[in-house]
Amino acid sequence: MTLPACIHCGQDPERRERDGRVMFICPVCNARGDAATCETWAAASWRQVNRDDLPVHGCGHRPRFKAREGKWWACCTGCQHLTGGFMSIQGAVAGWARSLR
């Protein structure tokens, strides 16, 4: 399975597994997709947060997606513009785009 490189540092992701859940994570900057019981879903979430067409913030930086207390957040890596509280990584990606309109 070929996955895109990290949009933050250009490193290829590594596959990690724990407690029956799989995730893809950048070994350099720790950007990550969703942890899932299905490897295909985990790979799809990595692709979602590393899309070339993901909008950048006004300061020119891309978002990093993080899960905290069961909610997903998107934060600009430049100015720390934050949007979040979403139930899924897909919601956080959509919320990020919506916050930049």
Side-chain angles (χ1 to χ4, degrees):
M1 171 182 324
T2 302
L3 294 173
C6 176
I7 60 172
H8 301 288
C9 68
Q11 184 71 27
D12 288 334
E14 65 180 35
R15 181 188 182 277
R16 293 189 187 167
E17 185 172 356
R18 185 171 59 179
D19 300 328
R21 297 173 65 89
V22 175
M23 71 184 301
F24 291 92
I25 187 167
C26 176
V28 174
C29 72
N30 292 322
R32 70 181 192 94
D34 197 8
T37 56
C38 174
E39 186 167 349
T40 303
W41 183 267
S45 72
W46 173 263
R47 287 185 187 98
Q48 183 77 18
V49 298
N50 285 282
R51 295 181 359 219
D52 286 335
D53 65 340
L54 200 60
V56 296
H57 192 253
C59 68
H61 289 86
R62 295 183 183 269
R64 179 176 289 237
F65 297 89
K66 297 180 180 184
R68 295 272 192 269
E69 299 175 359
K71 307 275 183 176
W72 279 94
W73 300 82
C75 183
C76 177
T77 57
C79 69
Q80 307 307 307
H81 168 75
L82 181 69
T83 186
F86 300 100
M87 297 301 293
S88 68
I89 198 166
Q90 293 82 2
V93 170
W96 172 258
R98 189 171 44 252
S99 76
L100 300 182
R101 287 189 208 154

